[in-house]
Amino acid sequence: MGTAALVTWLATVLAGLVLLVIWLMEYDRDFQTGAATRLPVPVISTHALLGVGGVMVWGFYLVTDDDPLAWSVVAGLGVVVVLGLVMAARWVGVYRAYAAPGSTTTQLVAVPPERHFPRPVIVIHGLLALATITLVVFDVFFSGS
Protein backbone atom coordinates (compact mmCIF):
# COMPACT_ATOMS: atom_id res chain seq x y z
CA MET A 1 0.00 0.00 0.00
CA GLY A 2 2.81 2.40 0.87
CA THR A 3 4.62 1.74 -2.39
CA ALA A 4 1.44 2.36 -4.37
CA ALA A 5 1.06 5.67 -2.51
CA LEU A 6 4.65 6.55 -3.42
CA VAL A 7 4.02 5.83 -7.11
CA THR A 8 0.79 7.83 -7.23
CA TRP A 9 2.43 10.65 -5.30
CA LEU A 10 5.31 10.80 -7.79
CA ALA A 11 2.83 10.87 -10.67
CA THR A 12 0.92 13.66 -8.89
CA VAL A 13 4.13 15.65 -8.48
CA LEU A 14 4.95 15.22 -12.16
CA ALA A 15 1.52 16.47 -13.23
CA GLY A 16 1.87 19.36 -10.78
CA LEU A 17 5.27 20.24 -12.18
CA VAL A 18 3.73 20.45 -15.65
CA LEU A 19 1.23 22.97 -14.31
CA LEU A 20 3.96 24.88 -12.48
CA VAL A 21 6.09 25.11 -15.62
CA ILE A 22 3.12 26.42 -17.61
CA TRP A 23 2.38 28.98 -14.91
CA LEU A 24 6.02 30.10 -14.78
CA MET A 25 6.19 30.42 -18.57
CA GLU A 26 3.04 32.54 -18.67
CA TYR A 27 3.73 34.62 -15.55
CA ASP A 28 5.26 38.01 -16.23
CA ARG A 29 5.43 40.42 -13.33
CA ASP A 30 5.37 43.47 -15.62
CA PHE A 31 2.44 42.12 -17.62
CA GLN A 32 0.40 41.32 -14.49
CA THR A 33 -1.00 44.83 -14.31
CA GLY A 34 -3.44 43.93 -17.10
CA ALA A 35 -4.47 40.48 -15.90
CA ALA A 36 -3.15 39.69 -12.46
CA THR A 37 -2.76 36.09 -11.42
CA ARG A 38 -5.32 34.74 -8.98
CA LEU A 39 -2.81 32.23 -7.64
CA PRO A 40 -0.49 34.00 -5.20
CA VAL A 41 3.16 33.04 -5.48
CA PRO A 42 3.45 32.03 -1.78
CA VAL A 43 0.48 29.66 -2.14
CA ILE A 44 1.88 28.00 -5.26
CA SER A 45 5.37 27.80 -3.77
CA THR A 46 4.20 26.33 -0.48
CA HIS A 47 1.96 23.82 -2.24
CA ALA A 48 4.77 22.67 -4.53
CA LEU A 49 7.49 22.55 -1.87
CA LEU A 50 5.32 20.67 0.63
CA GLY A 51 4.24 18.24 -2.09
CA VAL A 52 7.80 17.46 -3.16
CA GLY A 53 9.08 17.45 0.42
CA GLY A 54 6.23 15.18 1.49
CA VAL A 55 7.02 12.58 -1.14
CA MET A 56 10.64 12.53 0.05
CA VAL A 57 9.59 12.10 3.68
CA TRP A 58 7.14 9.37 2.61
CA GLY A 59 10.03 7.57 0.91
CA PHE A 60 12.07 7.79 4.12
CA TYR A 61 9.07 6.48 6.05
CA LEU A 62 8.80 3.48 3.74
CA VAL A 63 12.47 2.70 4.30
CA THR A 64 12.59 3.29 8.06
CA ASP A 65 8.99 2.52 9.11
CA ASP A 66 9.24 5.32 11.68
CA ASP A 67 5.76 6.36 12.87
CA PRO A 68 6.53 10.05 13.55
CA LEU A 69 7.51 10.39 9.89
CA ALA A 70 4.14 9.01 8.85
CA TRP A 71 2.29 11.46 11.09
CA SER A 72 4.34 14.39 9.76
CA VAL A 73 3.48 13.29 6.21
CA VAL A 74 -0.23 13.23 7.03
CA ALA A 75 -0.02 16.70 8.60
CA GLY A 76 1.90 18.09 5.63
CA LEU A 77 -0.48 16.42 3.23
CA GLY A 78 -3.38 18.16 4.99
CA VAL A 79 -1.80 21.55 4.34
CA VAL A 80 -1.08 20.59 0.71
CA VAL A 81 -4.71 19.57 0.24
CA VAL A 82 -6.07 22.83 1.66
CA LEU A 83 -3.75 24.90 -0.53
CA GLY A 84 -4.63 22.78 -3.55
CA LEU A 85 -8.35 23.21 -2.99
CA VAL A 86 -7.91 26.98 -2.61
CA MET A 87 -5.98 27.12 -5.87
CA ALA A 88 -8.53 24.91 -7.63
CA ALA A 89 -11.40 27.16 -6.54
CA ARG A 90 -9.54 30.23 -7.73
CA TRP A 91 -8.66 28.54 -11.05
CA VAL A 92 -12.33 27.71 -11.67
CA GLY A 93 -13.17 31.38 -11.22
CA VAL A 94 -10.48 32.41 -13.70
CA TYR A 95 -11.50 29.70 -16.14
CA ARG A 96 -15.11 30.84 -16.12
CA ALA A 97 -14.35 34.57 -16.16
CA TYR A 98 -12.04 34.53 -19.17
CA ALA A 99 -13.15 33.00 -22.44
CA ALA A 100 -10.78 30.68 -24.22
CA PRO A 101 -8.20 32.62 -26.19
CA GLY A 102 -9.40 33.08 -29.76
CA SER A 103 -7.67 31.66 -32.78
CA THR A 104 -7.39 35.03 -34.48
CA THR A 105 -4.05 36.76 -34.37
CA THR A 106 -5.52 40.26 -34.44
CA GLN A 107 -7.14 40.02 -31.04
CA LEU A 108 -4.77 40.09 -28.07
CA VAL A 109 -6.49 39.53 -24.74
CA ALA A 110 -4.66 39.70 -21.43
CA VAL A 111 -5.53 36.69 -19.30
CA PRO A 112 -4.05 35.45 -16.03
CA PRO A 113 -1.32 32.82 -16.46
CA GLU A 114 -3.45 30.06 -14.92
CA ARG A 115 -5.95 30.42 -17.77
CA HIS A 116 -3.47 28.53 -19.92
CA PHE A 117 -3.63 25.38 -17.74
CA PRO A 118 -4.91 22.42 -19.76
CA ARG A 119 -8.05 21.00 -18.14
CA PRO A 120 -6.98 17.36 -18.61
CA VAL A 121 -3.74 17.96 -16.70
CA ILE A 122 -5.64 19.62 -13.85
CA VAL A 123 -8.13 16.74 -13.69
CA ILE A 124 -5.34 14.14 -13.77
CA HIS A 125 -3.44 16.03 -11.06
CA GLY A 126 -6.55 16.16 -8.88
CA LEU A 127 -7.45 12.49 -9.36
CA LEU A 128 -3.89 11.39 -8.65
CA ALA A 129 -3.87 13.60 -5.56
CA LEU A 130 -7.11 12.01 -4.36
CA ALA A 131 -5.67 8.53 -4.89
CA THR A 132 -2.47 9.51 -3.08
CA ILE A 133 -4.35 10.93 -0.10
CA THR A 134 -6.51 7.83 0.11
CA LEU A 135 -3.54 5.47 -0.04
CA VAL A 136 -1.45 7.44 2.46
CA VAL A 137 -4.28 7.81 4.99
CA PHE A 138 -5.23 4.16 4.61
CA ASP A 139 -1.62 3.06 5.05
CA VAL A 140 -1.01 5.25 8.10
CA PHE A 141 -4.31 4.73 9.91
CA PHE A 142 -5.48 1.28 8.89
CA SER A 143 -2.43 -0.82 8.10
CA GLY A 144 -1.33 -3.23 10.75
CA SER A 145 2.35 -2.26 10.75
Side-chain angles (χ1 to χ4, degrees), residues 17-104:
L17 287 176
V18 168
L19 294 171
L20 180 62
V21 166
I22 292 170
W23 188 84
L24 288 172
M25 287 175 22
E26 296 295 333
Y27 181 77
D28 183 8
R29 187 177 297 262
D30 298 329
F31 181 69
Q32 291 302 312
T33 56
T37 181
R38 304 305 192 273
L39 304 179
V41 175
V43 174
I44 290 177
S45 302
T46 305
H47 179 77
L49 290 174
L50 284 176
V52 171
V55 76
M56 292 186 330
V57 175
W58 184 253
F60 287 131
Y61 164 71
L62 292 178
V63 171
T64 63
D65 200 28
D66 191 20
D67 285 339
L69 285 177
W71 290 106
S72 67
V73 166
V74 170
L77 200 54
V79 175
V80 170
V81 167
V82 168
L83 292 174
L85 290 174
V86 166
M87 289 191 303
R90 288 177 153 224
W91 174 81
V92 167
V94 167
Y95 189 79
R96 289 182 178 170
Y98 293 91
S103 61
T104 63

